[in-house]
Each structure stands twice: as C-alpha cells, then as structure tokens.
Amino acid sequence: MIFESIQVILLVGIVASAFFALKNTDLVASAIFLAATSLLLSTEFYLLQAPDVAIAEAAIGAGLSTAIFIVAITKTERWENGKK
Amino acid sequence: MERNKSKPIVAAILFVFLLAMSFSIHPAGKPSETKMDDFFIAHGQEETGSNNIVAAIVFDYRGMDTLVEASVLFAAATGVFIALGGGKK
Amino acid sequence: MNKGLSPIVKNVAAVALVPITVFGLYVIAHGHLTPGGGFPGGAIIATMTALLLISFGTSWVKAIGKERLSMAESLGLVGFVGLAIMGIGKSFFNNFLVGQGLFFGNAVAFGPNPGWLGTAGLIPLMNMAVGLEVFAAISLIAITMFTAEVSK
C-alpha cells in the first residue's frame, strides 16, 4: 500500500512540474522545472526496478539537458515573447 | 475562430481514443509473449559472461541498435558543429 | 571570451570535478557488472564539461582543442565498429573473447556471484569505446553551443 502511495505522489509531481514548465514565462524556471521532472521520473524508474534507465535519465535529463537549455537561454532571451 | 473552437473537442476525442487503445492492448505489467525474455534470462550470463543482463543485451544480442544509436549521436554533434560555425570562417 | 562566475562557484566546481569524473569512469568500467554502461557513464563525464564551461568560462577550451575532441569522438565510434567486425568469422557482434582466458576473457561463475572485472569478453571494451564517443560528442555539442557567436 505504501509503495503505491509513493508512486502516486511521484506521478502527480511529474505531471505538476511538467505543467509548471509549460506555463512559466521565465524560461530559466522552465528549465529547472524540466530538471525536476526528470529527477522524479528517474526515481520512478528506480522504484520500478530499472536502474539502468534511471541512471541514464538522471545523467542526461537532469544534468546535461538542463545545462544545454541554460546555455541556449543565455545566448537568446530569458523571457518568453520578449516581455517581463 | 472555427479552428480555435474545435481544438478542445479534437483533443478530448484523441485523449479518449488513446486511453481506450492503451487499455485494449494488454493488461499492464503482463507481457503477452515471454519466450525471448526467458531465453535471455536463462542463457545470457552463460553465453556472454556478463553479470548485467541489460549490458549483455545492449552490447551483444542487440548490438546493431547500440551502433546506430551511437551514430545518431555522432550525427547530432556533426550537425551542431556545422550549424554553429565551428569550422573555418 | 567568457570569464566565468564568482570565485565561490569556481572553488565549488573545482572540488566537485574529481568525484564526478571518477564516478563516471566507475560507471563505464563496471558496465558489465552493475547498472550503467557506456552511455550513462559518458554522459556523467560530459556533465563535468558543462560544469567547467558554466563556472570557468571559455578560457580553457583552446588548450583542449575542438579538433582533439572530434578525433576522440571518431576514434570511439571506429573502435566500436572495429570491435564488432573483429568477430565477423562467426557473425557481426560475435563475442569471441569470452571464455578464452585472455584479456577480459576469464570464465565466469554462473548464478549469483559477486562479480569480477575481468569477465564478459568484448562488452567492457565496447563500453569504453561508447563511453569515449558519448563523452566527446556531448562535450563537443556543449562547447560549440557555448562559444558560438549569436547576434541577438
């Protein structure tokens, strides 16, 4: 029972952080929310006994793609549609 | 105007359709055909000498997939290198 | 030329540098015994490159050289294909080293065992080749994106 409740909490967190990443107009905050999504997703993979996928997701999703998004944002604009 | 009104309807129809399709494939957590998995789990360690069955499948039984995956990463790096002016000016 | 962030960030990045690299090398080297392998290990080491880029700026990129990284990437991919072709006498991706008693070819104990590094034949070598390729490719992408001149 406690296993299922942890999974429900994780899945709700994934959907909520993905929604906030979509709705935020500050793109840096969106990138951080995407990193949170990847981190919760890798925890979910680990709980479902797929540690290989969990390691790859944590390294690429939470580490590298966030860095590449931040680099791309510093090269272009921080705010969506040019407004603050 | 017409397109904006029809967007939620299309989205709802697609959502219901995909949900019904995903439930109609097979029950979750029960693969329909398990002969391949049983073979890999029974013979993987013996044939490849690797304790990690996932590594045995990724680098030995299904090595071609890994090769093409590495080539995709190579192509991505080449594309970024060409597009963002890494070469001669 | 980007000068990087404040000295606090630089010091913390310098402290975190060695553990990240060693953990990535561990994940690559133990790919046939524990979860992980070439792809996640190379990505972990490439995280170190991104950390260096963001904290220290771009002053060290010239010392490494994009050409060397590109050559390492090609070397990893060519090594992977070459290791796969070496077993062509039986089939592509034939694991010919396993059980021969040579380099990485020691016999394994079947069933649950603590694991030993010198087993599994070609799989550790392929892990190293793929790890080199992934590390060089992602580092090259990050460095090229970071040093690109973009007109706003």
Side-chain angles (χ1 to χ4, degrees), chain A residues 51-52 55-56 59-60 63-64 67-68 70-77, chain C residues 27 35-36 40 43-44 46-47 50 54 138 141 145-148 150 152:
Chain A
D52 287 88
I55 289 178
I60 295 174
L64 275 174
I68 288 182
I70 297 288
V71 168
I73 289 167
T74 55
K75 292 289 172 190
T76 54
E77 286 179 339
Chain C
V27 167
I44 289 169
T47 310
I54 291 177
I138 299 179
I141 290 176
M145 281 184 71
F146 202 81
T147 55
V150 180
K152 285 195 177 180

Side-chain angles (χ1 to χ4, degrees), chain C residues 8-92:
Chain C
I8 299 172
V9 180
K10 283 183 183 175
N11 278 319
V12 173
V15 168
L17 184 65
V18 176
I20 290 174
T21 314
V22 170
F23 181 67
L25 290 175
Y26 161 78
V27 167
I28 290 178
H30 288 235
H32 57 298
L33 299 176
T34 54
F39 271 97
I44 289 169
I45 304 180
T47 310
M48 179 266 300
T49 309
L51 185 67
L52 275 183
L53 269 179
I54 291 177
S55 57
F56 282 91
T58 57
S59 53
W60 55 276
V61 171
K62 271 240 163 67
I64 302 284
K66 285 183 198 170
E67 286 76 17
R68 266 179 232 164
L69 273 178
S70 181
M71 197 171 290
E73 182 190 6
S74 309
L75 196 69
L77 199 55
V78 168
F80 188 46
V81 179
L83 283 172
I85 287 180
M86 273 162 77
I88 201 75
K90 200 174 172 192
S91 70
F92 204 51

Side-chain angles (χ1 to χ4, degrees), chain B residues 45-46 50-52 59-60 63, chain C residues 32 34 95 110-111 113 115 127:
Chain B
Q45 196 187 17
E46 185 183 352
S50 159
N51 275 354
N52 188 3
F59 285 100
D60 202 312
Chain C
H32 57 298
T34 54
N95 198 342
F110 297 126
N113 58 337
N127 266 325

Side-chain angles (χ1 to χ4, degrees), chain B residues 14-75:
Chain B
L14 265 181
F15 181 74
V16 171
F17 177 70
L18 289 177
L19 208 62
M21 287 303 284
S22 70
F23 275 114
S24 74
I25 294 173
H26 54 69
K30 293 193 180 78
S32 50
E33 191 69 50
T34 60
K35 276 181 193 164
M36 208 68 156
D37 316 353
D38 294 341
F39 177 81
F40 285 144
I41 291 169
H43 296 90
Q45 196 187 17
E46 185 183 352
E47 284 183 355
T48 66
S50 159
N51 275 354
N52 188 3
I53 302 290
V54 178
I57 291 175
V58 165
F59 285 100
D60 202 312
Y61 292 109
R62 299 285 180 266
M64 197 61 101
D65 282 353
T66 313
L67 177 59
V68 179
E69 204 177 331
S71 316
V72 165
L73 198 59
F74 188 85

